[in-house]
């Protein structure tokens, strides 16, 4: 009780002390040094170096009047205000206010503020200064924090940013300006969508075409010569750089009238579908109205394709062939037109040859190519073997899968999303650095056979290291997405399949069973307890199999068995998969398969004749023009 009383007494004393302190001193004992009063913006007669910022959002000639009126108006405003000296009128034409991108005059004005050349900025309204809230408030604060502070006067809203109560009003108005830009962007996108739905397309200037009074594309024959030469040269095997150098040497003009060509310009012409008479709308789209940065449209927005929209300069088949060449050039296949090849006879009937550098085909194309061939139907279910008298009855016993034995001489093939690699034991089986890889999706089998370096689909799977053949990592960004889809794999994981060597007379193949693939799961994707050496969980091994970076996982169906029934395995697994050996012919070559009707491209000889003729004519024209200009 006594302690509580003492505590209350102490608290009361502390409170009384605080009250005494805050009663203050007698005002007669203080001398007040008054602050310099803030001059009203409209009454301020001090000399100021004034900058005017003006902006119009489009470069339409009709906007020129608005732009000129703004300039004239502010010249008069500055001249009428005592003490104001006009430094410069900073003006951006044809630029949006939602971003500082390309607003060169605005950026230069801010730099001059930092250099101490400006005391005051005058502009028509908040929306003229910036339609982005962050930019508007951010620059107002930066300018106000300078020494001496720089203010901005927004004439329409009657806001001067160095006034203490200006920021709330400015934030509200700039938010409205930004939302107005957002609404305009939405309205414009909706308008464009309605146009495209009705086949009304935007037609920007395009080499090879002019536009009539209705905006229709009409062939410009002189420019069309250049377009045809570009396509024919690329089909014949010239690179974009070689084509650009040729056109520059010939003095051919771009659509903008330039005589110097760049490889990027050539590629854009080659990829523009309008040269074959089609129109594809909305190839790019703009995710944000604030930064106006466009992105490639990967089905993020609707696209509209109209075939035969106008007269073509290049045949559609030649155009498609060029697109396939361009796609394959990304993976080192320059000048090679890809072609699916399916084996139609022999032990590998129904297998489709794959090339890791070939793009342009889909997983469904490989499946259709395989299914286009009638695979031998000797796929009857193996009969159940009965043990003879005196033999061991091994019914109920299984032949354990090779994956369960960690031996160093297994034939393995490991896949990731970007490359694949054979084990050293595979290399030893064939005394050749080049092989062909084939796949039959219906039976989930992959085959490998040796081929010569000159083979169209030859893959180098080994290299010489200190005189020894070692396995080589094979890049496969072009083909692996298709294989992963065919096999039903997860692109985030690695897979390993085990194979066997099959001998057929003097020939041999490596055969891999895809359905028995092992999964290599990175440690980062597993729970920590799964990696613990002292795991007490009864459902987990004390330490999982794998490497220092990955853990081996097996198909869920394997939990019910160790392998195949002994007698079933003895009948040779390939018999039940159509590899019946009736007509071995391991070296049977593939037959072209076309997912669509084959392209009727211009023949190589005709392309060469056209190129020679066009180059000769253009050279004569260039010589004639030079001679005429000298005279």
């Amino acid at each position: 009780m006594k302690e509580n009383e003492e505590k209350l007494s102490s608290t009361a004393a502390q409170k009384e002390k605080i009250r005494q302190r805050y009663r203050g001193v007698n005002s007669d004992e203080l001398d007040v040094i008054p602050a310099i009063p803030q001059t009203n913006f409209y009454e301020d007669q001090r000399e100021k170096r004034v900058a005017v910022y003006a902006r119009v959002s489009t470069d339409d000639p009709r906007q020129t009047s608005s732009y000129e009126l703004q300039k004239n108006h502010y010249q008069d405003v500055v001249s009428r205000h005592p003490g104001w000296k006009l430094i410069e009128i900073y003006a951006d034409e044809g630029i949006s206010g939602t971003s500082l991108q390309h607003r060169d005059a605005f950026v230069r004005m801010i730099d001059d503020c930092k250099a101490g050349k400006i005391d005051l900025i005058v502009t028509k309204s908040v929306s003229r200064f910036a339609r982005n809230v962050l930019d508007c408030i951010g620059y107002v604060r930066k300018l106000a924090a300078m020494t001496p502070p720089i203010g901005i006067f927004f004439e329409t809203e009657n806001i001067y940013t160095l006034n203490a109560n200006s920021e709330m009003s400015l934030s509200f108005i700039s938010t409205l300006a930004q939302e107005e830009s957002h609404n305009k962007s939405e309205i414009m996108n909706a308008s464009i969508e309605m146009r495209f739905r009705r086949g009304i397309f935007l037609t920007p200037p395009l080499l090879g075409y002019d536009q009539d009074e209705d905006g229709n594309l009409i062939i410009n024959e002189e420019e069309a010569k250049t377009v045809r030469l570009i396509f024919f040269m690329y089909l014949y095997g010239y690179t974009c750089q070689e084509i650009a150098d040729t056109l520059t040497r010939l003095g051919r003009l771009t659509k903008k009238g330039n005589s110097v060509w760049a490889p990027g310009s050539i590629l854009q012409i080659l990829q523009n579908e309008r040269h074959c008479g089609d129109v594809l709308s909305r190839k790019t789209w703009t995710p944000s109205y604030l930064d106006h940065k466009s992105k490639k449209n990967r089905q993020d927005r609707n696209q509209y394709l109209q075939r035969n929209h106008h007269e073509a300069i290049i045949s559609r088949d030649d155009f498609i062939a060029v697109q396939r060449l361009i796609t394959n050039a990304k993976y080192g296949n320059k000048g090679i037109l890809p072609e699916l090849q399916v084996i139609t006879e022999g032990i590998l009937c129904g297998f489709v040859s794959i090339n890791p550098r070939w793009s342009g085909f889909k997983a469904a194309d490989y499946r259709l190519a395989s299914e286009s061939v009638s695979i031998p139907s000797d796929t009857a279910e193996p009969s159940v073997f009965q043990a003879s008298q005196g033999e061991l009855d091994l019914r109920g016993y299984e032949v354990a899968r090779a994956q369960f034995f960690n031996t160093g001489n297994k034939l393995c093939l490991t896949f990731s999303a970007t490359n694949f690699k054979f084990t050293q034991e595979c290399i030893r089986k064939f005394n050749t650095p080049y092989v062909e890889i084939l796949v039959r999706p219906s039976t989930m089998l992959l085959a490998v056979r040796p081929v010569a370096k000159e083979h169209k689909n030859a893959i180098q799977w080994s290299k010489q290291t200190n005189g020894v053949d070692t396995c080589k990592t094979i890049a496969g960004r072009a083909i692996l997405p298709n294989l992963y889809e065919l096999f039903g794999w997860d692109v985030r994981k690695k897979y390993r399949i085990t194979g066997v060597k099959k001998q057929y007379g003097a020939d041999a193949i490596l055969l891999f069973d895809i359905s028995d693939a092992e999964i290599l799961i990175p440690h980062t994707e597993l729970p920590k307890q799964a990696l613990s050496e002292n795991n007490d969980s009864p459902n987990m091994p004390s330490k999982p199999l794998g490497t220092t970076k990955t853990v081996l996982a097996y198909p869920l169906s394997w939990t019910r068995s160790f392998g195949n029934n002994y007698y079933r395995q003895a009948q040779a697994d390939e018999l039940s998969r159509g590899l019946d050996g009736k007509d071995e012919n391991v070296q049977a070559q593939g037959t072209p398969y076309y997912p669509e009707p084959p392209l009727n491209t211009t023949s190589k000889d005709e392309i060469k004749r056209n190129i020679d003729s066009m180059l000769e004519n253009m050279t004569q024209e260039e010589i004639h023009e030079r001679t005429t200009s000298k005279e």
Side-chain angles (χ1 to χ4, degrees):
M1 187 70 148
K2 188 176 182 180
E3 288 179 1
N4 289 338
E5 290 177 356
E6 289 177 354
K7 187 176 180 181
L8 289 171
S9 175
S10 174
T11 302
Q14 289 177 7
K15 289 182 178 180
E16 182 59 30
K17 228 176 187 181
I18 293 172
R19 292 190 190 100
Q20 290 292 336
R21 186 186 311 138
Y22 278 89
R23 285 194 181 103
V25 297
N26 192 326
S27 60
D28 294 335
E29 298 177 13
L30 288 177
D31 292 331
V32 179
I33 304 172
I36 299 174
Q38 292 292 321
T39 307
N40 185 286
F41 174 74
Y42 297 99
E43 298 173 357
D44 190 356
Q45 302 294 317
R46 289 176 297 179
E47 186 174 306
K48 288 184 182 295
R49 296 164 297 174
V50 179
V52 172
Y53 181 71
R55 179 183 62 81
V56 291
S57 55
T58 71
D59 56 3
D60 190 312
R62 290 171 292 185
Q63 287 274 17
T64 303
S65 58
S66 172
Y67 173 67
E68 290 298 325
L69 283 172
Q70 286 187 61
K71 288 174 63 177
N72 295 336
H73 168 71
Y74 286 111
Q75 284 176 338
D76 295 339
V77 168
V78 172
S79 63
R80 288 197 304 265
H81 203 291
W84 283 14
K85 178 184 177 184
L86 181 62
I87 298 299
E88 186 178 341
I89 296 177
Y90 299 85
D92 284 313
E93 286 189 271
I95 305 297
S96 169
T98 54
S99 169
L100 295 181
Q101 191 175 13
H102 307 306
R103 293 177 66 185
D104 298 332
F106 183 92
V107 173
R108 187 162 52 83
M109 178 181 70
I110 299 299
D111 289 341
D112 287 346
C113 288
K114 294 176 181 177
K117 299 178 181 179
I118 297 170
D119 301 315
L120 172 68
I121 296 173
V122 177
T123 188
K124 180 181 179 182
S125 66
V126 173
S127 63
R128 294 296 92 189
F129 186 76
R131 285 184 179 270
N132 183 321
V133 175
L134 292 177
D135 285 343
C136 184
I137 301 299
Y139 275 98
V140 164
R141 289 175 176 174
K142 284 180 182 178
L143 293 172
M146 291 181 181
T147 307
I150 299 172
I152 305 170
F153 178 64
F154 299 101
E155 185 182 31
T156 302
E157 294 84 5
N158 194 25
I159 295 176
Y160 180 53
T161 58
L162 293 186
N163 287 343
N165 59 353
S166 66
E167 188 164 308
M168 182 176 177
S169 301
L170 185 61
S171 300
F172 180 71
I173 294 171
S174 60
T175 301
L176 291 178
Q178 177 175 305
E179 189 57 28
E180 183 185 357
S181 290
H182 185 201
N183 290 336
K184 286 181 178 179
S185 174
E186 291 296 318
I187 291 170
M188 184 174 291
N189 286 333
S191 173
I192 290 173
E193 178 71 17
M194 288 187 286
R195 286 169 177 264
F196 288 166
R197 282 186 181 276
R198 287 160 179 77
I200 304 171
F201 301 109
L202 304 175
T203 52
L206 178 66
L207 185 71
Y209 291 97
D210 294 327
Q211 294 183 26
D212 62 15
E213 59 274 10
D214 297 323
N216 299 316
L217 293 176
I218 308 298
I219 290 180
N220 178 323
E221 285 300 334
E222 186 58 32
E223 293 179 358
K225 293 177 185 177
T226 305
V227 174
R228 293 189 188 100
L229 179 61
I230 290 171
F231 274 86
F232 284 147
M233 289 183 73
Y234 195 82
L235 279 171
Y236 198 70
Y238 288 85
T239 65
C240 289
Q241 183 65 63
E242 290 170 337
I243 297 172
D245 293 341
T246 300
L247 295 179
T248 301
R249 177 172 51 80
L250 292 171
R252 304 300 292 181
L253 299 179
T254 66
K255 192 64 178 178
K256 293 182 178 180
N258 299 324
S259 59
V260 177
W261 291 75
S265 301
I266 301 297
L267 185 60
Q268 286 181 348
I269 291 170
L270 291 169
Q271 292 178 315
N272 197 316
E273 79 292 337
R274 300 191 183 214
H275 289 120
C276 72
D278 299 342
V279 173
L280 177 64
S281 66
R282 199 177 276 143
K283 297 175 189 174
T284 61
W285 68 294
T286 306
S288 172
Y289 70 97
L290 293 175
D291 58 19
H292 304 285
K293 292 181 179 178
S294 61
K295 291 176 59 178
K296 189 172 182 180
N297 188 0
R298 303 182 187 278
Q299 294 185 307
D300 300 290
R301 293 293 184 272
N302 293 337
Q303 287 185 303
Y304 300 91
L305 172 66
Q306 183 176 346
R307 298 183 185 276
N308 303 315
H309 175 269
H310 53 272
E311 188 178 356
I313 296 175
I314 300 298
S315 75
R316 182 173 284 107
D317 285 0
D318 281 351
F319 179 80
I320 294 173
V322 165
Q323 304 320 299
R324 291 182 181 176
L325 287 171
I326 291 171
T327 302
N328 281 278
K330 296 176 184 177
Y331 303 101
N333 267 341
K334 295 181 180 178
I336 299 175
L337 196 61
E339 183 180 65
L340 282 179
Q341 297 270 341
V342 59
I343 309 295
T344 59
E345 58 182 347
I347 203 78
L348 296 175
C349 182
F351 278 81
V352 183
S353 181
I354 64 174
N355 189 316
R357 299 184 304 276
W358 280 9
S359 181
F361 298 116
K362 299 176 182 177
D365 295 331
Y366 289 90
R367 187 178 290 110
L368 290 172
S370 177
E371 293 172 354
S372 69
V373 177
S374 178
I375 300 172
S377 58
D378 187 9
T379 58
E381 189 71 20
S383 58
V384 177
F385 273 33
Q386 298 290 337
S388 302
Q389 188 173 2
E391 292 182 344
L392 288 174
D393 186 353
L394 296 176
R395 285 176 294 176
Y397 289 86
E398 295 174 342
V399 178
R401 293 181 175 89
Q403 288 88 341
F404 293 151
F405 298 94
N406 189 20
T407 58
N409 60 349
K410 285 198 298 186
L411 305 177
C412 293
L413 173 55
T414 304
F415 291 90
S416 73
T418 57
N419 55 62
F420 55 96
K421 189 176 183 179
F422 292 88
T423 57
Q424 192 67 32
E425 187 63 23
C426 295
I427 307 300
R428 294 192 188 101
K429 296 298 181 183
F430 296 147
N431 188 24
T432 175
Y434 294 93
V435 294
E436 180 185 16
I437 300 177
L438 307 103
V439 64
R440 193 164 72 184
S442 60
T443 51
M444 296 290 277
L445 287 176
L446 185 142
V448 180
R449 64 181 180 182
V451 293
K453 181 180 180 180
E454 295 72 28
H455 191 281
K456 192 172 185 179
N457 289 337
I459 298 170
Q460 185 177 359
W461 73 339
S462 68
K463 58 183 178 180
Q464 284 273 326
T465 305
N466 299 325
V468 179
D469 289 332
T470 58
C471 45
K472 180 178 180 291
T473 300
I474 303 166
R477 289 182 181 274
I479 188 64
L480 283 168
N482 288 323
L483 295 183
Y484 266 67
E485 184 177 344
L486 284 173
F487 305 156
W489 289 350
D490 184 346
V491 294
R492 297 169 299 178
K493 295 181 174 62
K494 291 184 178 182
Y495 293 83
R496 187 169 70 188
I497 54 179
T498 304
V500 293
K501 182 180 179 182
K502 297 294 181 182
Q503 194 75 36
Y504 300 99
D507 298 317
I509 62 171
L510 300 184
L511 195 64
F512 294 86
D513 189 348
I514 298 161
S515 60
D516 280 349
E518 303 167 287
I519 308 174
L520 300 171
I521 304 175
H523 285 176
T524 53
E525 296 186 16
L526 292 173
K528 289 184 179 180
Q529 65 267 27
L531 301 174
S532 172
E533 292 191 25
N534 299 313
N535 193 348
D536 297 329
S537 173
N539 298 321
M540 289 187 180
S542 60
K543 186 177 181 182
L545 298 174
T547 67
T548 56
K549 295 183 179 180
T550 59
V551 171
L552 271 177
Y554 300 106
L556 186 62
S557 60
W558 290 15
T559 58
R560 295 188 293 271
S561 68
F562 288 101
N564 291 323
N565 176 278
Y566 176 82
Y567 293 113
R568 184 184 183 91
Q569 180 77 15
Q571 288 183 300
D573 187 58
E574 66 266 27
L575 289 179
S576 64
R577 293 177 177 271
L579 303 184
D580 57 10
K582 291 178 180 177
D583 180 17
E584 294 173 354
N585 194 9
V586 174
Q587 298 301 327
Q589 295 303 303
T591 300
Y593 171 80
Y594 302 101
E596 300 171 351
L599 296 177
N600 184 23
T601 55
T602 307
S603 68
K604 207 82 169 177
D605 292 338
E606 187 177 347
I607 288 175
K608 187 176 188 310
R609 285 196 300 271
N610 285 330
I611 292 174
D612 291 342
S613 174
M614 286 188 283
L615 287 177
E616 183 179 352
N617 292 336
M618 290 178 182
T619 301
Q620 293 300 323
E621 289 175 11
E622 200 270 337
I623 292 172
H624 176 71
E625 191 169 326
R626 261 192 289 135
T627 305
T628 305
S629 62
K630 286 181 181 179
E631 294 176 354

